[in-house]
Amino acid sequence: MRQGTVGISVGGRSCASCMASLETALGRMPGVVHVNVNLATQRATITYDADVPSVQTLAQAVEDARYQVRTETVTLPIHGMTCAACVNTLEPGLRKVNGVLEVEIALEAVRVGDLIVVRPGEKIPVDGLVREGHSSVDESMLTGESLPVEKSPGAPVVGASLSKAGMFVFEATRVGKETVLAQIIQLVESAQGSKAPIQRLADKVAGVFVPMVVGMAALTFAVWYALGPAPAFTYVLSNGMAVLLIACHCGTG
């Protein structure tokens, strides 16, 4: 069986119970092999039989479960693009790809081997090696080191770091998803997308616990309304909300 994996950014989830219900809804679809919904990244990772459901079908299933599908922008480095005719050839092909809504191709995008000038105060766009000039670069966003690092010819530079002083020219060696920062982001997303067995058990418990708490709150409401002292509504409201807030604040949503 030929399998595919797709990540869908999902909105409208606020608790583990929501996550479990969405996983169940997607898991029931024909051809879906595995579903993992991550609450922290607001993302559903779906492994499916590539010959059965389409990305649009999976997205519709998310919306049918009363959650929102968020579109995402993906940037891909492309080599060999030299003219407008290349763009006109590539754009129709990309638009036919399953799940693609819009395509924009920029000829001026940085490519491996390009020489780029970085001035003081500018961010370094991609990874590379310094060829000319000197500068001190703030790499705290990557290493946590507060002191700038001196860069001279032959020294590596990392995309998204900041040139503090001095102008230099560097050669691009990695662009797009190949940069250090992009790989770190991918590793973090992959780590957050995986679940330990105890976490899967907790998600299953949460899927039962939240409805149970709501039911207990409703029972408390009915008992105090029928048997409680006057003023009945005040006691009903305070005790019913107490059960929800103490046992599971997600139930108030």
Side-chain angles (χ1 to χ4, degrees):
M1 180 175 64
R2 188 170 62 93
Q3 292 185 352
T5 300
V6 64
I8 299 177
S9 183
V10 182
R13 295 178 299 114
S14 58
C15 64
S17 179
C18 303
M19 182 172 61
S21 64
L22 180 57
E23 285 185 345
T24 301
L26 290 172
R28 289 173 179 169
M29 293 193 61
V32 172
V33 178
H34 177 71
V35 181
N36 183 25
V37 182
N38 188 278
L39 184 61
T41 61
Q42 297 283 297
R43 191 174 183 84
T45 302
I46 306 163
T47 302
Y48 62 99
D49 180 356
D51 297 326
V52 181
S54 65
V55 175
Q56 287 87 346
T57 303
L58 295 172
Q60 185 61 49
V62 173
E63 293 181 346
D64 290 343
R66 299 184 180 180
Y67 299 100
Q68 296 85 44
V69 176
R70 298 169 178 166
T71 57
E72 295 180 324
T73 301
V74 178
T75 302
L76 301 174
I78 302 173
H79 304 286
M81 300 283 294
T82 58
C83 61
C86 301
V87 174
N88 294 333
T89 301
L90 184 59
E91 279 188 349
L94 290 175
R95 287 196 175 96
K96 293 178 181 178
V97 175
N98 194 7
V100 172
L101 301 179
E102 186 58 48
V103 177
E104 180 178 346
I105 300 177
L107 285 175
E108 65 274 13
V110 176
R111 296 187 288 267
V112 173
D114 287 352
L115 295 177
I116 305 164
V117 178
V118 179
R119 300 174 179 81
E122 293 182 344
K123 282 191 174 182
I124 299 171
V126 295
D127 296 355
L129 294 173
V130 177
R131 295 305 184 197
E132 300 177 15
H134 299 265
S135 180
S136 57
V137 176
D138 181 1
E139 297 181 340
S140 59
M141 51 72 63
L142 181 68
T143 64
E145 175 58 55
S146 60
L147 296 177
V149 181
E150 294 298 321
K151 300 294 182 179
S152 56
V157 290
V158 181
S161 54
L162 180 67
S163 177
K164 303 288 286 187
M167 184 175 70
F168 65 94
V169 178
F170 77 97
E171 178 184 351
T173 57
R174 289 192 292 260
V175 299
K177 290 186 176 181
E178 300 299 321
T179 62
V180 172
L181 181 60
Q183 291 181 22
I184 291 175
I185 293 173
Q186 184 177 6
L187 287 173
V188 171
E189 288 182 346
S190 298
Q192 290 183 325
S194 60
K195 292 182 181 179
I198 188 64
Q199 186 177 357
R200 294 188 180 278
L201 176 60
D203 292 342
K204 291 181 179 179
V205 172
V208 177
F209 180 71
V210 173
M212 184 177 67
V213 169
V214 173
M216 290 176 61
L219 179 62
T220 302
F221 186 98
V223 170
W224 277 90
Y225 186 80
L227 305 176
F233 183 76
T234 301
Y235 286 103
V236 164
L237 186 62
S238 61
N239 287 287
M241 289 302 296
V243 172
L244 286 177
L245 292 174
I246 295 174
C248 180
H249 66 277
C250 298
T252 60

